[in-house]
Amino acid sequence: NNGIIPVEISRGSYQGGLVTTANGSQIDNFSDNYNLIGNPYPSAISADEFIADTDNTSIEGSVALWTHGSAPSSAVTSPFYGSFTYHYNPTDYIIYNSFASQSGPSTFDGNIAAGQAFFVKMNDGATSTSGTVKFKNSMRTDGSNNAYNNSQFYRSSQASSNTESIEKHRIWLDIVDTNMLSYRTTIGYATNATDLKDRLYDAYTAVTPTMMSTYSLLGDDKLAIKANALPFDENDEFAIGYNVPLAGAYSIAIHAVDGLFEDQEIYLEDLELNTVHNLKNSPYSFTTTQGEINSRFKIIFTNQTLGNPNFDINNAVVVANNDDLKVFSNIENIESIVVYDLLGRTIFTRENVNAKQFVVPVEKAHAPLIMKIKLANGIVVERKTIF
């Protein structure tokens, strides 16, 4: 193939909200607009040039590539085909746009190899139910007329970035369950980006109730990738949502950073527990109910309260689990204690403790427990134990 290659695309009839499938599951109907296409040339094309081309504005400004990262498993449920025993893991897709690869740095180099298939999404609510995207020879060479690297027919290998040389500062953020399975989202800042929805620098994501996911929020929109406008302001914040299929214990952690975030502190604010955690120091562990939660977490970049009082919070609260389950606070009085099992169910709660030590009246069952301990100064710490 050579020259201009037009490919027809289409969108589904659903617009906005969740859709109930034939097997009774609910999915984000943005999935109704996916189209599987592929690079038709015997050489690589630039994903950046493909999505930025003026003839391709009928699609969302991102592509999704399958990584073959894991084998199909009976542990993975499908929102579409409930009759099959084994399913592929949908987190094996990489979402890529001109700002970032959702999978992290040094993964996808931005060049779609010859014959490589990928998904695009026709814009939701378009006036027509079908359209055309075009592949062009100009997408095959850089500004010096050099062919793009064609060695990465997608596999999980190290690759350098050949994307457009704009200023980028990025955070790759994971939600992780107790089996160490994770899902990733990307936030940050880029030249030409705005704080609103940008076709080339932001990418939507679909939320499936049966799958764990995390994303940033722009109004009601859920984004796998979100770039804000430069310059960076330490008073900025990103709202972070998540969906979990089961109640229980999870963590939020930094996978990678680049640019200014290599030296900038990054905090997670838990609005439910009224606490702030420095993600540069350690992941943040929390318990949650099942489902989609969009009002609990924010990423922020400054927190005056962390310097007052001046003590090591890791050593301030101790849990002893010998004959009794005891909680000790070395500095502040304990205000409240909540104890959960691994399914996220509350098995004990006590307000107004007003003491530096407390015996938790639960039966010894040699079972894992998660304890949320709030101190009088408002700081909340989490402790895991077996009792």
Side-chain angles (χ1 to χ4, degrees):
N1 289 319
N2 191 41
I4 296 177
I5 309 291
V7 177
E8 186 175 349
I9 60 169
S10 62
R11 68 170 178 83
S13 58
Y14 300 115
Q15 295 185 40
L18 293 174
V19 174
T20 302
T21 63
N23 70 354
S25 299
Q26 284 193 316
I27 62 167
D28 189 311
N29 61 35
F30 199 53
S31 305
D32 198 39
N33 300 333
Y34 278 112
N35 290 260
L36 181 65
I37 61 175
N39 176 6
Y41 299 121
S43 61
I45 63 169
S46 164
D48 290 319
E49 293 182 28
F50 173 79
I51 59 181
D53 192 276
T54 55
D55 283 326
N56 293 341
T57 56
S58 61
I59 59 171
E60 168 71 10
S62 63
V63 297
L65 294 93
W66 181 251
T67 69
H68 293 267
S70 57
S73 169
S74 59
V76 179
T77 58
S78 170
F80 300 104
Y81 307 114
S83 60
F84 289 97
T85 302
Y86 298 94
H87 300 100
Y88 285 100
N89 191 332
T91 62
D92 276 353
Y93 279 102
I94 281 179
I95 298 175
Y96 174 88
N97 68 9
S98 294
F99 177 58
S101 170
Q102 182 190 17
S103 59
S106 301
T107 52
F108 174 57
D109 66 3
N111 299 322
I112 301 172
Q116 172 77 66
F118 59 97
F119 274 103
V120 296
K121 290 176 283 189
M122 189 170 179
N123 293 329
D124 195 36
T127 55
S128 174
T129 58
S130 64
T132 301
V133 294
K134 292 181 179 179
F135 292 90
K136 302 178 181 179
N137 283 344
S138 59
M139 301 171 185
R140 302 166 69 181
T141 57
D142 62 18
S144 301
N145 207 34
N146 296 314
Y148 289 114
N149 177 21
N150 192 43
S151 65
Q152 196 179 35
F153 190 93
Y154 197 77
R155 56 190 183 276
S156 297
S157 63
Q158 192 83 357
S160 60
S161 175
N162 284 332
T163 57
E164 184 183 357
S165 56
I166 62 173
E167 183 180 349
K168 302 174 186 177
H169 309 276
R170 297 170 291 191
I171 303 168
W172 287 269
L173 201 66
D174 286 354
I175 184 170
V176 187
D177 67 13
T178 54
N179 295 315
M180 300 309 293
L181 298 175
S182 64
Y183 189 91
R184 187 164 298 152
T185 190
T186 310
I187 57 175
Y189 296 81
T191 304
N192 302 325
T194 72
D195 292 353
L196 302 177
K197 176 67 174 63
D198 302 307
R199 179 177 171 271
L200 297 182
Y201 301 107
D202 305 328
Y204 287 113
T205 188
V207 174
T208 302
T210 57
M211 300 301 301
M212 179 176 67
S213 61
T214 188
Y215 41 85
S216 59
L217 292 156
L218 182 62
D220 294 329
D221 291 334
K222 304 174 184 71
L223 302 176
I225 304 172
K226 177 69 183 95
N228 275 1
L230 285 168
F232 167 74
D233 185 336
E234 67 174 11
N235 295 311
D236 287 346
E237 57 187 45
F238 289 85
I240 301 295
Y242 64 90
N243 180 80
V244 292
L246 298 171
Y250 295 84
S251 296
I252 290 179
I254 293 172
H255 169 72
V257 298
D258 67 6
L260 67 87
F261 292 115
E262 292 180 356
D263 300 314
Q264 171 65 44
E265 299 293 355
I266 301 167
Y267 303 103
L268 182 73
E269 183 175 3
D270 188 332
L271 300 173
E272 180 179 302
L273 299 180
N274 192 30
T275 187
V276 174
H277 179 81
N278 189 334
L279 289 176
K280 282 286 192 77
N281 292 338
S282 63
Y284 179 74
S285 298
F286 64 101
T287 56
T288 182
T289 56
Q290 175 185 4
E292 185 178 315
I293 308 294
N294 294 327
S295 59
R296 179 169 181 177
F297 291 130
K298 292 193 297 185
I299 291 293
I300 58 177
F301 304 105
T302 182
N303 179 41
Q304 301 297 328
T305 64
L306 286 185
N308 184 25
N310 184 21
F311 62 87
D312 183 358
I313 193 64
N314 291 319
N315 297 319
V317 177
V318 177
V319 173
N321 58 355
N322 297 321
D323 295 330
D324 297 313
L325 184 60
K326 295 181 180 179
V327 181
F328 300 89
S329 173
N330 296 325
I331 298 181
E332 294 283 339
N333 275 353
I334 300 166
E335 180 177 315
S336 63
I337 297 174
V338 184
V339 183
Y340 305 90
D341 63 15
L342 281 185
L343 295 178
R345 296 175 298 196
T346 302
I347 63 173
F348 175 80
T349 183
R350 176 65 59 86
E351 301 288 339
N352 302 315
V353 176
N354 295 326
K356 285 191 169 64
Q357 57 180 283
F358 182 77
V359 177
V360 181
V362 296
E363 271 190 41
K364 195 167 189 176
H366 303 285
L369 299 175
I370 300 165
M371 308 178 70
K372 293 284 188 182
I373 303 151
K374 185 176 182 180
L375 303 180
N377 59 6
I379 290 179
V380 177
V381 296
E382 182 180 278
R383 293 291 180 264
K384 297 177 182 178
T385 189
I386 295 177
F387 185 75

